[in-house]
Amino acid sequence: PGREEKRTLIIAEFKDYVFCATHQSLTPEDQLLAVPLIEKALQNVDKPIFMAGDMNSAPASAPQLELAKHFATLNDTTSYTFPADRPNRCIDYIYGYSKNGYRFDVQYRKSIVFCLHQQKIITFAPELETKAKNKDSNEIIYLCILLLFLLLL
């Protein structure tokens, strides 16, 4: 749901886990409508599920409280992520899906905020290309590409 533009959930299944990315609507009503759709898309997955995205909502907002019924928030929500030039609030999150029986234990939290202007993406892309040559890091590269794609929508 999205009154201002269409929104989507990208789901990538890997051997041992599933990774999802989304960019939520600007309106709390549409954000709340998205929660059961996300839940329905993930309810039959029997692997650990991670979801990340620009949720456009504050940690104590109704959409985040509704998501908390299905997901554990894994990032430090006191680390601000928006606006990029002078962050003063958290609207970007990383979650672990908890309704399928998996539990998540965060050992270390650190926020890294990327300013996604055209020149920054061009600078970042060659690093992805170089790291992609290493087979062991391919899944992480795919996740980074998914996140970049999502943030550019």
Side-chain angles (χ1 to χ4, degrees), residues 124-134 141:
F124 190 61
E127 293 175 20
L128 287 177
E129 186 178 324
T130 302
K131 288 182 182 177
K133 292 176 185 173
N134 177 351
I141 300 308

Side-chain angles (χ1 to χ4, degrees), residues 62-80:
Q64 288 304 310
L65 296 176
E66 189 62 28
L67 279 165
K69 295 176 183 176
H70 310 280
F71 292 89
T73 302
L74 304 179
N75 61 298
D76 178 3
T77 60
T78 64
S79 293
Y80 299 145

Side-chain angles (χ1 to χ4, degrees), residues 50 72-75 96 102-109:
F50 298 93
T73 302
L74 304 179
N75 61 298
Y102 287 94
R103 298 292 175 251
F104 302 89
D105 183 21
V106 178
Q107 300 293 317
Y108 177 75
R109 287 184 172 140

Side-chain angles (χ1 to χ4, degrees), residues 132-144:
K133 292 176 185 173
N134 177 351
K135 272 187 160 180
D136 296 335
S137 66
N138 279 348
E139 285 186 14
I140 293 170
I141 300 308
Y142 297 142
L143 297 178
C144 290

